[in-house]
Each structure stands twice: as C-alpha cells, then as structure tokens.
Amino acid sequence: MSRRTNTSKTGLRRLQKEQCTLKVAAGKKPGEEGYLEGCAAHPVSESDFFNWVGTISGPPDTPYEGGTFNLSLSFAGGYPLRPPKAKFITRVFHPNISRDGGICLDILKNQWSPALTIGSLLQSIRSLLDDPNASDPLDPEAGALYRDNIEAFAAKARQYTLEYAIPK
C-alpha cells in the first residue's frame, strides 16, 4: 500500500468520525458540551467525503448578524496532518477575506494542528468575523476602511450581508 493511499484512508476515517461528531453537535442545545454555535458542515455527497460545504451564521452585534454564509471545505492533500482548504462561497466584506472568498487565518496555514477539527475551524472562522485583523488584510480596501473609518466599514459589511448572505 502506498503512503498516499494510507494517508487518504486515514483522512477518510477522520472525516467520517468528524461527520458523526458534527451530526451529534447539531442536536445539542446552547450550553451543552459539544454544542457548536452558529456553525455546521457536511460532505457535498456521500460519495465524496473530501469536499464539504459549511455554513456559518453571522455573530451577534456584528455587521454579519442575521446572515448565513456558505463555505467550501476541501480535505485533499494529507488531512488531518495538513489543513483543509476553506473558502467563502458567499461574498463577504471583511479585511481577512478576499474578494474571491479566500480566508487569511493562521490555522489554515502555519498554525494547523491535527488536533483541530472541522468544528474548531468553523468556530475560528466565525470568530474572525467578529474580530478582524486589519494589520494583515487580505482585502486591502476592507482593511483600510476598518482601520480608518469603522462606521463606514460596518455599513459596507452590513450592506454585503443583506445583499449576499442567506437570511437567518
């Protein structure tokens, strides 16, 4: 058996386990152990466990509140030893999210650990919506507006949420 096949099998087993965990989390109530606030994910199809769709609801008291945002998650390339590729499908105005949906987040790059899960990744992305890092913007326009005029930034982010996000 080649190393690549073994890695794929390890990744598949891990993804199957995480799917079960996410299904259980979906049935939990706020405050219960294992509850994931405002996040969900599942494989695109039962025959393709390496490509998933995720959803994140906009955090309260942010310009993203009331919107649901879709993401694509790709687990090819050595998961869980290497991070998945995550990308917003829904347009989002945010300093750390590019116009094509790319996400600037340390755990999607050099801070990934096999101990992280799909749930923890989604929670980190949701936290990023609440707490942008304008010192390292992926979208220069959003980063500059966030740094220079937070009210104008919030208005534009809210406009994108109303225009592109799925209403909650």
Side-chain angles (χ1 to χ4, degrees):
M1 178 184 304
S2 75
R3 180 182 171 131
R4 183 181 177 130
T5 303
N6 193 34
T7 302
S8 293
K9 285 184 179 182
T10 301
L12 178 60
R13 283 193 304 271
R14 168 75 177 262
L15 290 168
Q16 289 169 331
K17 180 180 176 185
E18 289 198 47
Q19 182 190 31
C20 291
T21 301
L22 288 167
K23 283 181 180 179
V24 169
K28 301 275 184 173
K29 292 182 176 29
E32 283 186 272
E33 185 176 338
Y35 173 73
L36 282 178
E37 185 173 0
C39 302
H42 58 83
V44 171
S45 72
E46 288 299 320
S47 62
D48 183 4
F49 251 84
F50 292 95
N51 290 294
W52 289 43
V53 63
T55 58
I56 294 176
S57 63
D61 303 320
T62 70
Y64 312 103
E65 182 176 20
T68 299
F69 302 87
N70 291 326
L71 298 96
S72 66
L73 303 167
S74 174
F75 297 94
Y79 184 79
L81 299 177
R82 293 198 178 123
K85 293 186 182 347
K87 185 175 181 177
F88 274 91
I89 298 167
T90 307
R91 286 188 66 187
V92 182
F93 188 73
H94 189 282
N96 308 112
I97 301 168
S98 69
R99 292 174 192 246
D100 70 350
I103 305 166
C104 183
L105 186 63
D106 59 355
I107 63 170
L108 287 171
K109 296 179 178 125
N110 58 348
Q111 294 299 311
W112 177 257
S113 163
L116 295 170
T117 64
I118 298 167
S120 60
L121 172 62
L122 292 173
Q123 291 283 267
S124 294
I125 295 171
R126 188 168 190 255
S127 292
L128 185 66
L129 290 177
D130 191 26
D131 188 21
N133 178 3
S135 65
D136 186 22
L138 199 52
D139 181 333
E141 177 192 356
L145 199 55
Y146 184 82
R147 279 189 314 271
D148 300 338
N149 188 341
I150 192 81
E151 293 82 15
F153 165 80
K156 189 161 186 173
R158 183 74 188 141
Q159 175 191 350
Y160 269 56
T161 298
L162 293 171
E163 194 170 326
Y164 299 110
I166 302 161
K168 204 173 187 183

